[in-house]
Amino acid sequence: MKILIIEDEQELLKSIASYLNGNAFICEQADNIYTAREKLKASDYDCVVLDITLPVGSGMDILRELKLEHKSCGVLIISAKGSLDDKLTGLELGADDYLTKPFHLPELAARIHAIHRRRVFGGSDLIEVDKLSLNIQDKYVRTHLGPVELTRKEFELLMYFISNKNRVVTKEAIIDHLWGAHSNMPDNYDLIYVHIRNLRKKLIDKGCPDYINAVYGIGYRFSVVELPVSL
């Protein structure tokens, strides 16, 4: 899951990023409103962790801009301000949740997961996609033939494909989502090819159709045939 953390307190920013990076998140950081705007224009995120109080401007300004631009990312406000008015204003502007400082990092991670589940998967940890059964929280995948043993990156790749089911995703978007926009990835796409080849083989070996189709010159599409409902 790709996260943008917007927080001007450097120690807290580093602490949040370090914890989330160690728990299967891909994190990018912004310590001011200008950097935050640049990153939001350049990339898409699953969730934005947003401090209200910034050196110039306000986190509320970011919320208004996200709403105007119809961004689909979730938003979790973090702020030392605990007043009801602040919470209501943030929620009215489109935030999904509000966490008052100080907070425990495991709770922050749990809130982010909950936002993502609500937005993408209707609030459930368990997902059924054709022959696949997935548990988002425990990160396991099963078919009728048993568990599918995936690496962390393969699981993240599968979740990204399922989140964009039947849509074309570019190779650049896959790199951005799995490693971040500023990762030290090589100029070629060999690592993507390896992950996709391994994921396809593991799913097919467990009785799945070949869901992942290459779209020449662009990227890939995760396709599931939707059967018509009998009346």
Side-chain angles (χ1 to χ4, degrees), residues 45-46 66 88 103 106 124 128 132 141 146 173 186 190 227:
Y45 299 91
D46 296 301
L66 289 172
L88 292 177
F103 50 79
S124 177
E128 302 286 338
L132 294 172
V141 182
D190 289 349
L227 297 176

Side-chain angles (χ1 to χ4, degrees), residues 12 78-81 99-105 107:
L12 180 58
I78 56 171
S79 178
K81 295 181 178 180
L99 193 57
T100 303
K101 299 177 185 176
F103 50 79
H104 295 291
L105 292 173
E107 182 181 3

Side-chain angles (χ1 to χ4, degrees), residues 88-104:
L88 292 177
T89 300
L91 294 172
E92 287 170 359
L93 289 173
D96 296 274
D97 203 353
Y98 192 111
L99 193 57
T100 303
K101 299 177 185 176
F103 50 79
H104 295 291

Side-chain angles (χ1 to χ4, degrees), residues 23 32 39 48 79 83 127-128 155 157 159 193 203 218:
N23 285 271
N32 62 75
K39 289 184 176 292
V48 175
S79 178
S83 76
I127 306 169
E128 302 286 338
F155 183 84
L157 178 60
M159 291 301 300
Y193 300 149
L203 294 179
I218 302 175

Side-chain angles (χ1 to χ4, degrees), residues 104-139:
H104 295 291
L105 292 173
E107 182 181 3
L108 176 71
R111 298 280 190 105
I112 294 171
H113 275 300
I115 289 170
H116 189 59
R117 288 197 301 271
R118 288 197 301 269
R119 282 183 163 266
V120 181
F121 303 113
S124 177
D125 281 332
L126 299 175
I127 306 169
E128 302 286 338
V129 180
D130 195 43
K131 296 180 181 296
L132 294 172
S133 298
L134 303 93
N135 186 300
I136 303 173
Q137 191 69 30
D138 296 333
K139 295 181 171 53

Side-chain angles (χ1 to χ4, degrees), residues 1-2 26 46 156 160 172-180:
M1 195 186 309
K2 188 176 176 187
I26 303 297
D46 296 301
E156 291 174 7
Y160 185 58
E172 293 80 8
I174 294 171
I175 289 175
D176 189 16
H177 187 83
L178 295 185
W179 288 280

Side-chain angles (χ1 to χ4, degrees), residues 9-212:
E9 296 179 36
Q10 290 297 320
E11 289 303 315
L12 180 58
L13 178 61
K14 291 176 183 177
S15 179
I16 292 172
S18 176
Y19 182 83
L20 294 181
N21 279 326
N23 285 271
F25 293 89
I26 303 297
C27 296
E28 295 189 7
Q29 305 172 33
D31 61 5
N32 62 75
I33 200 167
Y34 305 113
T35 303
R37 284 169 173 157
E38 289 174 3
K39 289 184 176 292
L40 287 166
K41 286 180 181 178
S43 297
D44 291 323
Y45 299 91
D46 296 301
C47 189
V48 175
V49 177
L50 176 63
D51 186 14
I52 291 178
T53 307
L54 298 171
V56 178
S58 164
M60 297 298 187
D61 297 330
I62 295 290
L63 265 176
R64 292 185 183 94
E65 291 161 15
L66 289 172
K67 189 173 182 179
L68 286 172
E69 294 167 12
H70 304 288
K71 291 279 189 177
S72 61
C73 56
V75 178
L76 172 60
I77 290 177
I78 56 171
S79 178
K81 295 181 178 180
S83 76
L84 179 61
D85 287 344
D86 286 324
K87 293 181 181 181
L88 292 177
T89 300
L91 294 172
E92 287 170 359
L93 289 173
D96 296 274
D97 203 353
Y98 192 111
L99 193 57
T100 303
K101 299 177 185 176
F103 50 79
H104 295 291
L105 292 173
E107 182 181 3
L108 176 71
R111 298 280 190 105
I112 294 171
H113 275 300
I115 289 170
H116 189 59
R117 288 197 301 271
R118 288 197 301 269
R119 282 183 163 266
V120 181
F121 303 113
S124 177
D125 281 332
L126 299 175
I127 306 169
E128 302 286 338
V129 180
D130 195 43
K131 296 180 181 296
L132 294 172
S133 298
L134 303 93
N135 186 300
I136 303 173
Q137 191 69 30
D138 296 333
K139 295 181 171 53
Y140 74 72
V141 182
R142 299 181 61 89
T143 73
H144 64 289
L145 296 180
V148 184
E149 300 295 337
L150 300 180
T151 66
R152 170 178 156 180
K153 285 299 181 189
E154 289 165 0
F155 183 84
E156 291 174 7
L157 178 60
L158 178 59
M159 291 301 300
Y160 185 58
F161 276 134
I162 290 173
S163 299
N164 292 278
K165 185 176 64 174
N166 296 325
R167 292 187 292 189
V168 177
V169 292
T170 66
K171 299 168 190 174
E172 293 80 8
I174 294 171
I175 289 175
D176 189 16
H177 187 83
L178 295 185
W179 288 280
H182 303 290
S183 60
N184 296 317
M185 289 288 292
D187 292 335
N188 59 48
Y189 299 109
D190 289 349
L191 192 55
I192 289 179
Y193 300 149
V194 169
H195 281 299
I196 289 177
R197 182 176 67 243
N198 291 342
L199 176 60
R200 290 171 77 174
K201 183 178 186 305
K202 289 178 180 181
L203 294 179
I204 291 170
D205 287 349
K206 287 296 183 177
C208 293
D210 189 1
Y211 296 123
I212 304 168

